[in-house]
Amino acid sequence: MDTPIQAIKVKLCRSATSLLSNFDLYLGGHSHGPEITSDQLHHVADSHHELLGTILGSKGKAKDAIFYSYKRHINGFAAMLEEEEAAETAKHPDVVSVFLNQGRNLHTTHSWEFLMLERNGVIHPSSLWKKARFGEDTIIANLDTGVWPESQSFSDNDFGPIPSKWKGICQHDDGFSCNRKLIGARYFNKGYVAFGGKISSNVSTARDYEGHGSHTLSTAAGNFVPGASVFGVGNGTAKGGSPKARVATYKVCFPPINGSECFDADLLKAFDTAIHDGVDVLSVSLGGEPIDYFDDGLAIASFHAVRNGVVVVASAGNSGPIPGTVSNIAPWILTVAASTLDREFQADVKLQNGQYLKGTSFSKPLPKETFYPLISAAHAKAANALAKDAILCKPGTLDSKKVKGKILVCLRGENARMDKGEQASLAGAAGMILCNDETTGNEIIADPHVLPATQINYTDGVALFSYVNTSKDPLGLLMPPKAELNMKPAPLMAYFSSRGPNIVTPEILKPDVTAPGVNIIAAYSEGTTPTENAFDTRRTPFITESGTSMSCPHVAGVAGLLKTLHPEWSPAAIRSAIMTTARTRDNTVNPMADADNEKATPFAYGSGHLRPNRAMDPGLVYDLSVNDYLDFLCAIGYNQTMINSFTGSKKHYDCPKKYSLLNFNNPSITVPDLTGSVTVNRKLKNVSKPGIYVARIRQPAGVSVSVEPNFLKFDKIGEEKKFKLKIKSKKAGSESEYVFGELLWSDGKHYVRSPIVVS
């Protein structure tokens, strides 16, 4: 085993685009009498298998797909089917109707349903959850703000002994205790203190007084918690991606100093400890500006984790949609962007002129469901304030005499969303409507404001300001918040999610993948308030938060499941499986869009949207060894001495004499400066049954891409095959113009996708 971290400064051939859903197939009623025998029940089930088997190709596949047979009075069954299969089944002469198994109340916390691990509380036998035993005995840890140990998400009910491989400890300061679920908790604050942070009771403890760490850890691996909600909205069962995994926390983030909360020294120490302690997956929802790898403590630390078999998942950052802002860009890190769910927390606005404006919120309803006077914050400005500041509802800009008892209309931007609500409340507003500006477009976020409030999109905001500014007596009503499912289109890329290209190494596409990161319900700290403001006195065990911080642990939870199911897979294999099985279309089967409804690109979503059930059997993976990463570092200019120091290995490593970054065995393919033509080399490893994979190319505009060979035959698991892509420019483009295509390898069951990005 290498020294962790040395002291370094610092089924059928299913359609590639179909959604797997569960459908009810109704066949009418049964003709048997009230006294039915076991033989008759068996015969009915067998007839269902026969019928569906004619569509899927065998009774065995039908048995796998069907999870309910209605055998006594109603004749029919419920099955997990692709959309095309459901349509084909509807044509069968014995089928009366086929319809989606639609949800009713109660609602779950929903991320995992949207990701197809369950449907309406039913977990199908083919779900990755079932196959991977819910992540049993995998150890998932986060580096964050600590944890609230009393949260029910970290209850150890029905957990057995702690895995013998665990070497970690639980620091018991501040009444903190661990259990068989939360098996470890530590804090590292010396780097923070060295930077000028003050030691206090909130700093010298693993207890979470900010809420971020509890939220992310419970998203990755929280236990099942029935009856979870946020102030009564979104009621259902909360759970993490690997709900039966063990969890640990390494607190490395504290109250901000000059805008920074987490420092490299503490990160490096925490990584070093976590590797020794025996964690399997590290979820890291933090980051900074993209910088040179050897100047990036997180990149250095994560390299050592990966070389010791630990999967490192990190957030892409919240600086979108500005190009080139994606962080955590090292190729050994699984970097996650953020996108929406098909659930909305609706809190609509009704205007007296009959208009309805779509809003979202977790705020309490108005005391009376009646119309209130509306006032623009610009019209409510204090005498000494500028209208441009007042319309943003900045502190000290509002005149309480003008605001009192009215619904205040504020504009999004500059100061925090919930701070605007606080300013409205302090000025005596009955409620607030927060309108997006043009840059934030359609992205609306449900916040737990301290007063009745909602947020609306830019288009509706323009209409609302027009109504308020031109009406003699503008009146509006805020509808009470409610959760609505099956919204379309979804997913949409979050406006805030940081975008590529990778400005340090443009040949490596980042982010790698996207996952749910908007309005995510998870555990929260009861040592702070929902708004984290002193003005707010509420406490809640669950809260919604949005950010790539929230999408990162979704992928970490799935990585935990894959680690349980495939303990022999390397971190690179797990990263590849997640990337190559991702989806680039939404639930309307159209290409994923950005918040402004424009078509999104791989610079927003990487390889696409996370699909856990596909990732458990990707067919082929682009695997990477430690030496592959060292070759990469040689290619970008690090010398032999630096790299040998970096690895800390007794075994000497020699840089290859010739090596092109384009040949790094990444699951995505990026050529940032194409002149003429280039050849790109890749290698695929079989992790499934023997098969023949055929290549298909979606050509980028103005670029010709060919594959040699165009088919690969695999005879056994673990077998590797090489191929080449010849990429040739057909026309001159502008220097900054990127075009996008796709390479797809398929054996008819598996679809191994790689985005192609060319400039």
Side-chain angles (χ1 to χ4, degrees), residues 437-460:
D437 59 13
E438 189 170 6
T439 58
T440 47
N442 293 311
E443 176 194 84
I444 53 177
I445 296 172
D447 289 317
H449 291 284
V450 292
L451 80 169
T454 193
Q455 183 181 342
I456 62 177
N457 68 27
Y458 171 67
T459 304
D460 286 346

Side-chain angles (χ1 to χ4, degrees), residues 247-262:
V247 297
T249 190
Y250 298 85
K251 184 174 177 176
V252 295
C253 300
F254 305 93
I257 307 172
N258 298 329
S260 296
E261 302 165 275
C262 326

Side-chain angles (χ1 to χ4, degrees), residues 678-693:
V678 296
T679 299
V680 175
N681 296 292
R682 288 290 187 273
K683 182 170 59 176
L684 282 162
K685 178 190 285 187
N686 183 37
V687 292
S688 190
K689 295 177 181 178
I692 298 173
Y693 287 77

Side-chain angles (χ1 to χ4, degrees), residues 162-212:
I162 293 169
S164 58
K165 68 177 181 178
W166 177 246
K167 300 177 185 176
I169 66 168
C170 183
Q171 291 180 305
H172 294 287
D173 309 85
D174 199 16
F176 198 106
S177 63
C178 295
N179 56 32
R180 291 169 300 178
K181 169 70 175 176
L182 176 60
I183 60 175
R186 300 191 63 159
Y187 64 91
F188 299 94
N189 62 13
K190 291 182 180 179
Y192 173 78
V193 172
F195 198 82
K198 295 180 180 178
I199 295 179
S200 67
S201 59
N202 288 7
V203 168
S204 302
T205 174
R207 185 176 288 279
D208 181 13
Y209 285 99
E210 197 267 355
H212 192 273

Side-chain angles (χ1 to χ4, degrees), residues 128-451:
L128 176 57
W129 262 350
K130 286 280 190 182
K131 298 283 188 182
R133 308 187 309 281
F134 300 95
E136 187 176 281
D137 287 343
T138 288
I139 301 170
I140 299 178
N142 71 344
L143 274 66
D144 215 297
T145 63
V147 69
W148 193 256
E150 292 83 7
S151 169
Q152 286 301 299
S153 292
F154 309 115
S155 162
D156 65 354
N157 290 341
D158 301 322
F159 275 76
I162 293 169
S164 58
K165 68 177 181 178
W166 177 246
K167 300 177 185 176
I169 66 168
C170 183
Q171 291 180 305
H172 294 287
D173 309 85
D174 199 16
F176 198 106
S177 63
C178 295
N179 56 32
R180 291 169 300 178
K181 169 70 175 176
L182 176 60
I183 60 175
R186 300 191 63 159
Y187 64 91
F188 299 94
N189 62 13
K190 291 182 180 179
Y192 173 78
V193 172
F195 198 82
K198 295 180 180 178
I199 295 179
S200 67
S201 59
N202 288 7
V203 168
S204 302
T205 174
R207 185 176 288 279
D208 181 13
Y209 285 99
E210 197 267 355
H212 192 273
S214 301
H215 198 282
T216 56
L217 191 59
S218 66
T219 300
N223 203 349
F224 293 93
V225 184
S229 71
V230 181
F231 302 120
V233 181
N235 186 39
T237 299
K239 80 283 285 184
S242 288
K244 292 302 176 185
R246 313 303 173 114
V247 297
T249 190
Y250 298 85
K251 184 174 177 176
V252 295
C253 300
F254 305 93
I257 307 172
N258 298 329
S260 296
E261 302 165 275
C262 326
F263 294 90
D264 274 4
D266 298 328
L267 286 171
L268 285 159
K269 183 63 177 175
F271 263 97
D272 198 37
T273 305
I275 296 165
H276 169 268
D277 287 348
V279 305
D280 297 303
V281 178
L282 274 169
S283 183
V284 188
S285 290
L286 53 90
E289 298 291 325
I291 55 173
D292 184 274
Y293 301 108
F294 277 21
D295 294 329
D296 184 345
L298 203 156
I300 292 168
S302 59
F303 172 84
H304 288 274
V306 168
R307 76 181 299 195
N308 282 277
V310 180
V311 180
V312 180
V313 185
S315 49
N318 300 327
S319 299
I322 301 168
T325 52
V326 63
S327 63
N328 296 323
I329 41 78
W332 44 84
I333 296 174
L334 181 42
T335 309
V336 189
S339 40
T340 65
L341 297 169
D342 65 343
R343 176 189 60 197
E344 292 179 354
F345 298 105
Q346 293 182 354
D348 297 342
V349 178
K350 183 179 180 181
L351 303 180
Q352 195 183 43
N353 66 1
Q355 280 185 282
Y356 272 86
L357 307 176
K358 182 178 168 183
T360 188
S361 178
F362 265 111
S363 304
K364 62 186 178 182
L366 288 163
K368 294 180 180 178
E369 196 167 320
T370 186
F371 286 98
Y372 284 73
L374 296 168
I375 185 169
S376 165
H379 297 159
K381 77 177 190 70
N384 60 345
L386 298 174
K388 67 182 182 69
D389 292 329
I391 199 170
L392 295 168
C393 295
K394 290 184 175 180
T397 64
L398 301 171
D399 185 337
S400 59
K401 291 178 182 177
K402 298 175 183 176
V403 173
K404 190 172 183 181
K406 298 176 182 176
I407 295 175
L408 185 67
V409 183
C410 300
L411 184 65
R412 185 175 174 183
E414 296 192 23
N415 54 324
R417 299 185 306 275
M418 285 189 282
D419 178 59
K420 296 173 191 286
E422 181 172 337
Q423 300 310 314
S425 182
L426 288 169
M432 179 188 72
I433 302 171
L434 179 58
C435 303
N436 276 6
D437 59 13
E438 189 170 6
T439 58
T440 47
N442 293 311
E443 176 194 84
I444 53 177
I445 296 172
D447 289 317
H449 291 284
V450 292
L451 80 169

Side-chain angles (χ1 to χ4, degrees), residues 442-490:
N442 293 311
E443 176 194 84
I444 53 177
I445 296 172
D447 289 317
H449 291 284
V450 292
L451 80 169
T454 193
Q455 183 181 342
I456 62 177
N457 68 27
Y458 171 67
T459 304
D460 286 346
V462 170
L464 177 60
F465 274 114
S466 175
Y467 170 69
V468 171
N469 293 335
T470 59
S471 298
K472 276 188 178 180
D473 186 23
L475 297 172
L477 168 64
L478 300 182
M479 308 300 289
K482 61 179 180 178
E484 290 289 337
L485 300 181
N486 304 315
M487 306 306 295
K488 294 182 179 182

